[in-house]
């Protein structure tokens, strides 16, 4: 609620509703992003992903992984 006192000592209350969109717009204004910043971000997002690094093949174990059954 936003309250305002008039010169006749009357209190005027006005509902205030802040939308999430307003908060997003305020944050974007605070960041002061330029068109160049946005273009670079889009280029980065659209670039093909690098091939994932492959894990090396595990070395052959010196001992068997399962114990032999008893005789």
């Amino acid at each position: 609620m936003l309250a305002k006192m008039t010169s006749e000592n009357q209190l005027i209350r006005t509902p205030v509703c802040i939308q999430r969109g307003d908060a997003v717009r305020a944050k974007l204004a605070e960041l002061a992003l330029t068109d160049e910043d946005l273009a670079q971000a889009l280029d980065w997002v659209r670039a093909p992903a690098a091939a994932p690094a492959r894990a090396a093949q595990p070395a052959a174990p010196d001992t068997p992984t399962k114990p032999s059954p008893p005789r």
Side-chain angles (χ1 to χ4, degrees):
M1 242 346 129
L2 181 65
K4 178 180 175 185
M5 188 67 81
T6 67
S7 58
E8 293 85 31
N9 289 331
Q10 292 178 334
L11 186 63
I12 299 175
R13 295 179 3 166
T14 308
V16 175
C17 183
I18 297 174
Q19 301 294 323
R20 278 189 256 171
D22 293 337
V24 170
R25 282 186 285 280
K27 181 64 175 182
L28 288 173
E30 179 183 315
L31 294 173
L33 297 173
T34 64
D35 288 341
E36 180 65 24
D37 295 329
L38 296 176
Q40 288 176 356
L42 289 173
D43 290 342
W44 178 79
V45 167
R46 292 175 179 162
R54 292 183 175 247
Q57 292 292 331
D62 291 338
T63 58
T65 56
K66 288 189 197 176
S68 301
R71 291 185 181 189

